[in-house]
């Protein structure tokens, strides 16, 4: 069994490769919900959607989020009513948010809504939200505290970051199956996602971090920082804002209390010794996922590395 810990686009790219070489029934994915938001009374779970659409084979590959070939008529119409249109929701995507909110309003959990969406879209991987409790990623900036989507999408990640907090995380329980998955898997893979904004909220759920420290599974991560910069997104701005160096080494430091193996890009090979000095095994390979072949190759490297000790 393999348990993955995932944010959005970076993670989904990796998972696309992983499902090509590992049976879906052996895979579970714990997904960040710190980015979730309410808009038009709908519950939107961006990272869950990116992961699910990718595993269902319907993601818009160019954008990395949303549904391929989707149209935006509803959003245009909402704009005509003077509604908010900064968060781009396609017509088919809207149906997911309506359906999820409908299930939640009937008193079911986000886990249950997620399971139903996966079943309907033919996703066999066990995709789980990190928690059914609300955890909100808040970004402290020079203009004040902003919700994650306000910071990233509405304001284009343009504000200087001074800190990040995960509102509600200290009281949040892991969703049903999360701890079991971490403890009963042979391997845990932390996907290449923003370590602060995507993996951070998952690790901020106390029982999750504890399970990572306690599990017998071999834990491996793939660096989202390649050559001192993120492949996409504002990971560098966030890390710098928190006083961290933007490097694979700094990511390793964030995970060092539970990490066994770290996969870094060949361009960062000179960091090997310093990461190994943290007590973490290092694998150097190409981590840039430009094609499906790259994704499969990286997934294969991760599986082989994760397998080594367990035999
Ligand atoms: P987001 O919330 O949708 O931006 O998703 P994530 O947090 O999962 O992804 C953002 C992170 O994924 C960034 O730090 C990127 O550097 C990383 N990332 C995206 N594509 C790749 C890739 O091809 N290789 C590696 N190593 N990292 C990637």
């Amino acid at each position: 069994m393999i348990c993955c810990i995932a944010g959005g686009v970076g993670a989904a790219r990796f998972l696309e490769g992983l499902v090509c070489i590992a049976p879906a029934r052996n895979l579970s994915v714990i997904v960040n919900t710190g980015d979730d938001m309410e808009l038009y009374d709908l519950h939107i779970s961006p990272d869950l959607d990116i992961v699910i659409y990718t595993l269902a084979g319907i993601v818009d590959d160019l954008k990395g989020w949303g549904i391929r070939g989707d149209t935006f008529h509803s959003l245009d119409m909402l704009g005509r009513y003077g509604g908010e249109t900064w968060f781009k929701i396609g017509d088919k995507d809207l149906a997911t948010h309506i359906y999820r909110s409908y299930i939640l309003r009937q008193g079911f959990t986000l886990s249950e809504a997620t399971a139903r969406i996966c079943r309907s879209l033919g996703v066999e991987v066990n995709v789980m939200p990190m928690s059914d409790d609300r955890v909100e990623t808040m970004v402290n900036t020079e203009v004040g505290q902003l919700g994650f989507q306000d910071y990233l999408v509405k304001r284009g990640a343009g504000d200087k970051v001074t800190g990040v907090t995960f509102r509600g995380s200290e009281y949040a329980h892991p969703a049903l199956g999360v701890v079991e998955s971490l403890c009963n898997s042979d391997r845990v893979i932390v996907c290449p996602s923003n370590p602060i904004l995507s993996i951070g909220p998952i690790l901020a759920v106390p029982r999750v971090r504890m399970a990572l420290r306690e599990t017998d599974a071999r834990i491996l991560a793939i660096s989202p920082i390649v050559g001192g910069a993120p492949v996409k997104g504002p990971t560098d701005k966030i890390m710098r804002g928190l006083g961290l160096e933007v490097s694979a080494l700094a990511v390793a430091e964030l995970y060092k209390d539970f990490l066994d193996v770290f996969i870094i890009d060949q361009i960062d090979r000179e960091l090997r010794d310093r990461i190994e000095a943290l007590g973490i095994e290092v694998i150097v390979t190409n981590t840039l996922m430009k094609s499906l072949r790259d994704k499969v190759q990286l997934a294969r490297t991760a599986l082989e590395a994760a397998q080594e000790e367990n035999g």
Side-chain angles (χ1 to χ4, degrees):
M1 297 300 290
I2 303 162
C3 176
C4 297
I5 298 185
V9 178
R13 282 178 172 173
F14 174 75
L15 292 169
E16 203 185 332
L18 189 60
V19 290
C20 292
I21 57 169
R25 63 179 181 283
N26 291 358
L27 299 179
S28 59
V29 186
I30 300 166
V31 183
N32 169 40
T33 56
D35 307 358
D36 285 19
M37 65 185 287
E38 300 279 330
L39 194 60
Y40 296 112
D41 276 344
L42 299 177
H43 184 104
I44 303 177
S45 299
D47 283 355
L48 277 169
D49 289 342
I50 289 168
V51 167
I52 293 170
Y53 294 161
T54 301
L55 293 174
I58 59 172
V59 78
D60 181 327
D61 300 305
L62 285 181
K63 293 205 290 268
W65 51 268
I67 295 176
R68 192 184 307 128
D70 211 350
T71 50
F72 289 82
H73 302 301
S74 307
L75 197 70
D76 289 345
M77 202 63 190
L78 284 165
R80 286 180 65 182
Y81 293 132
E84 300 205 57
T85 56
W86 56 271
F87 195 81
K88 301 295 171 214
I89 303 174
D91 297 319
K92 291 181 180 175
D93 195 19
L94 181 63
T96 307
H97 310 321
I98 293 173
Y99 181 65
R100 174 186 293 118
S101 309
Y102 167 73
I103 303 289
L104 290 175
R105 248 173 240 128
Q106 289 181 337
F108 292 101
T109 59
L110 183 60
S111 298
E112 176 61 24
T114 304
R116 290 193 197 189
I117 291 167
C118 284
R119 252 192 323 269
S120 305
L121 295 179
V123 173
E124 290 175 29
V125 173
N126 177 19
V127 180
M128 294 173 276
M130 66 193 204
S131 177
D132 286 325
D133 300 322
R134 192 75 187 92
V135 174
E136 283 174 275
T137 300
M138 304 299 297
V139 184
N140 303 329
T141 72
E142 55 192 357
V143 297
Q145 193 173 56
L146 301 171
F148 174 82
Q149 301 297 350
D150 272 358
Y151 163 76
L152 183 73
V153 184
K154 197 173 190 177
R155 300 173 63 90
D159 303 292
K160 192 171 181 313
V161 175
T162 54
V164 173
T165 49
F166 307 111
R167 193 184 277 168
S169 66
E170 54 192 300
Y171 305 110
H173 297 283
L176 194 70
V178 164
V179 170
E180 292 76 359
S181 221
L182 290 169
C183 293
N184 300 337
S185 293
D186 314 299
R187 311 158 223 180
V188 172
I189 301 177
V190 182
C191 295
S193 294
N194 186 321
I196 311 286
L197 294 179
S198 296
I199 304 299
I202 305 177
L203 301 179
V205 177
R207 273 297 287 134
V208 171
R209 192 154 204 144
M210 205 185 292
L212 280 165
R213 289 180 182 152
E214 288 171 0
T215 181
D216 291 330
R218 200 157 146 83
I219 307 180
L220 175 143
I222 297 137
S223 178
I225 300 294
V226 176
V231 179
K232 67 164 268 296
T235 307
D236 50 343
K237 292 180 185 170
I238 301 289
M239 291 184 80
R240 244 179 251 121
L242 300 190
L244 300 170
E245 178 187 278
V246 183
S247 72
L249 173 65
V251 178
E253 294 262 10
L254 293 170
Y255 299 161
K256 72 177 173 201
D257 55 316
F258 57 79
L259 196 63
D260 297 308
V261 186
F262 199 36
I263 299 188
I264 61 170
D265 198 85
Q266 48 215 1
I267 197 172
D268 293 315
R269 64 168 68 81
E270 81 284 0
L271 294 174
R272 178 194 278 269
D273 292 349
R274 290 169 70 197
I275 297 172
E276 281 178 346
L278 299 173
I280 298 167
E281 212 175 289
V282 174
I283 308 260
V284 178
T285 189
N286 169 44
T287 68
L288 278 182
M289 298 175 283
K290 290 191 184 136
S291 63
L292 182 61
R293 209 177 149 166
D294 295 336
K295 294 171 191 169
V296 171
Q297 190 51 49
L298 185 58
R300 189 163 282 132
T301 305
L303 281 197
E304 283 167 8
Q307 215 155 17
E308 246 141 54
E309 199 185 68
N310 293 339

